[in-house]
Amino acid sequence: MKKVFALLIGLFLLPLSVQAADFKEGTHYEVLQRTATEKPEVLEFFSFYCPHCFKFEPLMKGLETALPEDVTIKKNHVNFLGGAMAEEITKAYAAADLLNVKDDVTSIIFDEIHVQHNNISGEQDILDIFEKAGVEEQEAKAALASFAVNGMASQMKRNTENFKVRGVPTLIVNGKYKVNTGSVKSVAEFNELVEFLTKKTD
């Protein structure tokens, strides 16, 4: 995690322009023993309880703008941080996705934990977060208890297990390439590396 934190500091301090880099397997990325997805995608494993993930958010928002429109960016909340509330927060993220308030809920939860230093300790706290995002309590409750949300949460748990994710933030590109974030030295190089990997299939 120290490497990730150092990267975050460096990425925001160094110039945004960078010459095309020669990205190498084993240095800039790792090849997972999996088949690449048919369509280009970036899957970010994260936790609302992870301070590095909170600091990583601006980088991911910039990446969304930098990547071609045909690249899908997905987020996968993990359950190995957050103790007893981890699974509930994962369901909250899935419900926010289902209700199309994912960006708002993400910002609110990160702010509650890392800026306001508030403890999210139960269902009412989660419902209050949805209310701040403009979702009425009954609608939020129904979404949280829905089959769809439980399925989405289960899928995120399986993804975490299948990709053997042990730390966050972790980026997997095209279901096959794991980004070594500590290998890049600027925002532009980070964006360039991820875009490079979205075009790979071998």
Side-chain angles (χ1 to χ4, degrees):
M1 288 299 103
K2 289 183 179 179
K3 287 185 178 179
V4 173
F5 183 71
L7 164 69
L8 294 170
I9 297 298
L11 286 174
F12 290 111
L13 292 178
L14 289 172
L16 293 179
S17 60
V18 64
Q19 292 183 340
D22 181 18
F23 298 120
K24 297 179 180 179
E25 179 185 342
T27 300
H28 298 93
Y29 63 94
E30 299 172 24
V31 179
L32 307 178
Q33 299 302 313
R34 302 175 67 90
T35 303
T37 54
E38 290 186 8
K39 297 181 179 180
E41 68 172 42
V42 178
L43 179 59
E44 180 200 2
F45 289 89
F46 81 107
S47 170
F48 285 115
Y49 292 95
C50 165
H52 302 300
C53 297
F54 173 56
K55 296 179 185 297
F56 208 64
E57 275 293 284
L59 203 62
M60 290 304 298
K61 290 186 181 298
L63 183 65
E64 288 184 34
T65 303
L67 290 177
E69 291 184 0
D70 66 330
V71 179
T72 301
I73 296 182
K74 303 176 182 178
K75 294 172 78 75
N76 191 113
H77 195 261
V78 302
N79 291 345
F80 54 73
L81 294 176
M85 284 300 297
E87 292 189 12
E88 297 306 312
I89 294 296
T90 296
K91 286 178 62 178
Y93 180 72
D97 191 1
L98 185 69
L99 295 171
N100 295 315
V101 290
K102 183 173 58 177
D103 290 343
D104 289 337
V105 167
T106 295
S107 296
I108 294 167
I109 295 178
F110 269 133
D111 182 73
E112 287 288 323
I113 294 174
H114 299 287
V115 180
Q116 306 301 326
H117 302 292
N118 291 331
N119 184 30
I120 301 173
S121 58
E123 182 185 36
Q124 191 56 54
D125 290 338
I126 292 174
L127 294 174
D128 289 345
I129 287 167
F130 275 96
E131 185 177 4
K132 289 180 182 178
V135 180
E136 294 184 359
E137 183 172 304
Q138 286 304 115
E139 185 179 9
K141 272 188 173 183
L144 288 164
S146 69
F147 178 80
V149 162
N150 279 284
M152 293 163 71
S154 295
Q155 183 62 57
M156 284 190 270
K157 183 178 180 180
R158 287 194 297 272
N159 289 342
T160 303
E161 294 169 351
N162 290 340
F163 283 104
K164 297 179 172 61
V165 175
R166 298 291 182 268
V168 286
T170 291
L171 259 64
I172 306 294
V173 180
N174 290 2
K176 187 176 177 70
Y177 311 103
K178 180 180 177 181
V179 177
N180 292 335
T181 52
S183 68
V184 296
K185 300 177 177 63
S186 71
V187 172
E189 190 175 350
F190 170 74
N191 292 342
E192 187 182 350
L193 170 58
V194 176
E195 183 172 0
F196 165 78
L197 293 174
T198 64
K199 297 175 181 177
K200 281 182 66 66
T201 56
D202 59 346

